[in-house]
């Protein structure tokens, strides 16, 4: 009886953990994320061309985790990316920056520096990622 009980517990743990495995993915960059100038702060991924940097304020990383919304048709990694970029822009605004350049995405140490794809981790419960970039004042001339 004790052996069957123990085997049942082990089987339950294996089943639960297999359903909660987070998978690292490289995904196409959604069109909305490529909207460079939104809310007064432009985003430039990777080595996208931009005006000359007048002032480098600081490098900033924003990490987000979003839970699965059963009513949303939007892929969870796209939701996580949108939230992270929104938070990064919000932070830049508090520093009176007009842009974030050299934006990259990362999940568990695997970073992508690209304007066409991003890195994300997703599971049945949600998605997570980090974005990093240089918060700057670009020359306006």
């Amino acid at each position: 009886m004790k052996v069957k009980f123990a085997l049942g517990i082990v089987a339950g743990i294996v089943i639960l953990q297999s359903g909660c495995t987070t998978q690292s993915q490289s995904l196409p960059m959604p069109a909305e994320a490529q909207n460079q100038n939104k809310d007064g702060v432009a985003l430039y991924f990777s080595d996208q061309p931009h005006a000359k940097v007048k002032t480098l304020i600081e490098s900033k990383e924003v990490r987000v985790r979003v839970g699965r919304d059963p009513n949303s048709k939007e892929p969870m990694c796209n939701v996580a990316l949108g939230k992270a970029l929104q938070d990064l822009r919000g932070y830049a605004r508090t520093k009176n920056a007009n842009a974030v350049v050299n934006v990259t995405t990362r999940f568990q140490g695997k970073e992508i520096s690209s304007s066409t794809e991003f890195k994300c981790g997703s599971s049945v419960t949600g998605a997570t990622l980090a974005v990093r970039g240089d918060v700057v004042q670009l020359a306006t001339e």
Side-chain angles (χ1 to χ4, degrees):
M1 179 76 165
K2 288 182 182 181
V3 172
K4 286 183 181 180
F5 180 73
L7 286 175
I9 289 179
V10 170
I13 290 171
V14 169
I15 290 169
L16 283 174
Q17 288 191 351
S18 68
C20 294
T21 302
T22 301
Q23 296 181 352
S24 179
Q25 303 176 59
S26 295
L27 300 165
M29 187 72 69
E32 175 61 26
Q34 294 181 15
N35 180 1
Q36 285 182 338
N37 197 355
K38 186 176 180 181
D39 300 329
V41 177
L43 294 179
Y44 296 93
F45 289 87
S46 181
D47 58 358
Q48 286 180 313
H50 54 77
K52 183 179 177 187
V53 174
K54 187 166 99 175
T55 307
L56 170 63
I57 298 168
E58 69 180 291
S59 291
K60 177 68 175 170
E61 180 174 276
V62 174
R63 288 174 245 152
V64 298
R65 168 130 175 65
V66 295
R68 183 161 306 279
D69 178 357
N71 299 319
S72 176
K73 302 277 189 241
E74 184 82 18
M76 290 309 302
C77 281
N78 289 7
V79 172
L81 178 64
K83 171 116 177 68
L85 295 176
Q86 178 184 12
D87 291 354
L88 186 59
R89 276 189 168 111
Y91 180 82
R93 271 193 309 279
T94 68
K95 297 294 183 178
N96 296 316
N98 62 3
V100 182
V101 299
N102 305 320
V103 177
T104 61
T105 59
R106 179 181 63 78
F107 174 70
Q108 290 185 341
K110 295 177 182 142
E111 187 172 78
I112 289 184
S113 180
S114 171
S115 61
T116 59
E117 64 181 357
F118 70 103
K119 186 60 103 173
C120 179
S122 67
S123 69
V124 295
T125 61
T128 187
L129 59 77
V131 294
R132 178 191 323 257
D134 297 327
V135 177
V136 299
Q137 271 289 337
L138 293 179
T140 56
E141 335 161 334

